[in-house]
Amino acid sequence: MGSRVVPLSIPNHTMNSIGERHETEDSNHPILLSGDKYSRDPILNPGPLGSPLRRDRSPLKILSDEEQDLEEGKLLKSKENKLLVGPVRVYNQALLSGFAYCLSSCSMILVNKFVLSGYDFSAGISLMLYQNFVSVIVVSILSLSGKISTEPLTWRLVRVWLPVNFIFVGMLITSMFSLKHINVAMVTILKNVTNVITALGETYLFGKYHDTKVWTALALMIVSAISGGITDISFNAVGYLWQFCNCILTASYSLTLRRVMDTAKQATKSGNLNEFSMVLLNNTLSLPLGLFLVLVFNEIDYLTTTPLLKDPMFWIVITSSGFMGLAISFTSMWFLHQTSATTYSLVGSLNKIPLSLAGILLFHVPTSIKNAMSILFGLLAGIFFAKAKMRERSQS
């Protein structure tokens, strides 16, 4: 669903959303793309975790005795960690940023589910388009006011990035369609398949080695996805098909982004491309493509007849979803600045547990003991995968 972008300095291990405005939304969080919470969420939407973002590009000014060298992958401990907001100093930023990230990530997915299923809104592409438009407006305002730094969108950069953007838009749209037909808990578990596809892609495209524990965790994810589908009382074949397409596109986005990043950096004036620039680039390029798809899928007829567009509360809800998608990008970067990628990955996996429970309870999803056990098994497999990836990184 919209404004999330995949940080790239750390190996990919899928989470998610986003797609979903996806997200990117997990132990490998694709990027911070806005959108379905999955596609926009580095945690629910699997993808690489690191970030080339410099400390001085952060939207938040951290007052510490020692600098953190994030570009070199080192995090130097500071004697004092506090954030100055006006005259007020906020302590325990790691805890605060982690809570903000989890809250925005979960809220994005639940709000999108509410719009698509609760309101029975049948124009998923239009929802994605509107959310991306909100992200573009907000990031542009922040950039013009000097609060954040973004790269100019030159034709050279656009030409390099365009192929990636096609995958990005497809990721967000398929995430929207799957979320409309499948309950939140099952979407969360099925998102684990993205990790499997990504790991296979890393092995065959980049020759990356994964140890036995990682492959074991991936096998457990496959088992949980299959058992979850078999025991899903509200099984919807169309929704599962869309979700499978989303997993392929999400993994493709992560893998393709790695190849394009170096070329894209060379196409910028500064030689760097931070997350804010990627958010602006992805969402800006998605607008004409999204508008074209709205016409192709003939959503205009639906939009002109649905009474929802006359409901002020509906506009408030979908606008808030756009802000939430963007919030995932900001809180993810803030959280990464305050902790390590290891903590970020683990929190992403743990974040799936309350999200799945909230999805079942808030939307009164019919379930069975077998299905609940399959969901729990998949959540635990995700945590095991995150820990295996952490161990793998520490050894390498």
Side-chain angles (χ1 to χ4, degrees):
M1 296 151 189
S3 59
R4 277 194 296 154
V5 131
V6 187
L8 297 174
S9 11
I10 300 170
N12 181 333
H13 37 287
T14 25
M15 118 146 242
N16 341 131
S17 93
I18 144 178
E20 35 336 126
R21 237 135 19 38
H22 18 268
E23 26 221 303
T24 265
E25 288 246 339
D26 221 353
S27 49
N28 37 334
H29 323 296
I31 197 71
L32 311 176
L33 309 171
S34 64
D36 146 6
K37 163 43 166 197
Y38 293 104
S39 4
R40 301 173 185 266
D41 182 7
I43 291 222
L44 295 178
N45 196 20
L49 280 185
S51 167
L53 185 65
R54 280 190 169 282
R55 183 176 179 75
D56 59 4
R57 292 180 184 269
S58 172
L60 302 171
K61 179 63 180 174
I62 308 301
L63 303 178
S64 58
D65 297 316
E66 301 179 25
E67 291 294 323
Q68 298 173 359
D69 187 355
L70 295 177
E71 287 190 307
E72 295 300 324
K74 299 176 183 178
L75 184 63
L76 303 179
K77 294 184 178 179
S78 58
K79 297 178 182 178
E80 187 178 19
N81 185 23
K82 53 191 176 185
L83 170 69
L84 184 61
V85 182
V88 181
R89 287 181 176 179
V90 180
Y91 294 84
N92 297 323
Q93 279 194 73
L95 181 62
L96 180 61
S97 61
F99 176 77
Y101 171 74
C102 291
L103 181 63
S104 61
S105 175
C106 292
S107 298
M108 179 69 189
I109 299 168
L110 295 174
V111 169
N112 278 336
K113 178 64 177 178
F114 178 66
V115 172
L116 296 168
S117 298
Y119 276 105
D120 195 24
F121 187 65
S122 299
I125 301 175
S126 299
L127 177 59
M128 176 215 71
L129 185 64
Y130 181 72
Q131 290 175 338
N132 286 2
F133 176 73
V134 171
S135 297
V136 170
I137 295 299
V138 174
V139 173
S140 298
I141 292 175
L142 292 176
S143 179
L144 292 173
S145 63
K147 300 297 182 182
I148 61 175
S149 174
T150 58
E151 291 292 330
L153 302 185
T154 63
W155 170 241
R156 183 185 175 194
L157 178 60
V158 169
R159 187 172 53 188
V160 170
W161 199 265
L162 201 55
V164 178
N165 189 255
F166 277 98
I167 302 176
F168 169 69
V169 172
M171 179 181 71
L172 299 183
I173 292 175
T174 53
S175 178
M176 287 283 192
F177 288 165
S178 65
L179 194 59
K180 179 174 178 60
H181 299 289
I182 310 177
N183 67 73
V184 172
M186 281 309 305
V187 168
T188 302
I189 299 306
L190 294 173
K191 274 285 179 182
N192 285 335
V193 176
T194 307
N195 290 313
V196 180
I197 300 174
T198 302
L200 291 172
E202 288 177 330
T203 300
Y204 289 102
L205 296 177
F206 304 109
K208 181 176 176 56
Y209 168 79
H210 294 292
D211 63 26
T212 305
K213 288 188 175 181
V214 171
W215 289 114
T216 300
L218 293 173
L220 294 176
M221 289 178 176
I222 292 294
V223 172
S224 68
I226 295 175
S227 61
I230 293 174
T231 58
D232 187 3
I233 296 177
S234 57
F235 178 85
N236 184 295
V238 174
Y240 273 70
L241 179 61
W242 280 117
Q243 183 55 52
F244 181 69
C245 292
N246 177 255
C247 291
I248 294 176
L249 288 170
T250 302
S252 299
Y253 181 81
S254 300
L255 297 170
T256 304
L257 197 57
R258 296 184 183 193
R259 291 181 175 274
V260 173
M261 276 301 297
D262 290 339
T263 306
K265 288 179 180 179
Q266 295 173 7
T268 62
K269 293 184 177 180
S270 67
N272 190 26
L273 191 65
N274 61 33
E275 282 88 343
F276 296 113
S277 297
M278 285 190 279
V279 168
L280 183 61
L281 184 60
N282 261 330
N283 287 278
T284 300
L285 293 181
S286 72
L287 297 182
L289 179 56
L291 183 60
F292 172 74
L293 292 175
V294 166
L295 298 175
V296 169
F297 283 83
N298 198 27
E299 289 189 353
I300 297 295
D301 288 345
Y302 171 79
L303 295 174
T304 55
T305 58
T306 179
L308 289 175
L309 298 186
K310 299 178 182 179
D311 184 355
M313 183 55 65
F314 177 75
W315 282 101
I316 292 175
V317 172
I318 62 174
T319 302
S320 67
S321 70
F323 279 99
M324 288 175 190
L326 189 58
I328 294 173
S329 300
F330 289 110
T331 55
S332 295
M333 287 182 280
W334 182 21
F335 191 30
L336 271 172
H337 278 206
Q338 301 306 314
T339 60
S340 65
T342 297
T343 303
Y344 182 75
S345 298
L346 187 57
V347 169
S349 296
L350 294 173
N351 195 34
K352 288 183 176 182
I353 298 177
L355 175 62
S356 298
L357 293 175
I360 293 174
L361 296 176
L362 292 177
F363 298 101
H364 308 290
V365 177
T367 186
S368 63
I369 297 298
K370 291 182 179 180
N371 186 247
M373 293 303 294
S374 297
I375 293 172
L376 178 61
F377 183 74
L379 295 173
L380 294 177
I383 296 174
F384 180 52
F385 174 75
K387 295 185 68 175
K389 290 293 290 185
M390 294 171 194
R391 177 176 174 275
E392 183 180 77
R393 280 201 301 270
S394 64
Q395 291 179 341
S396 62

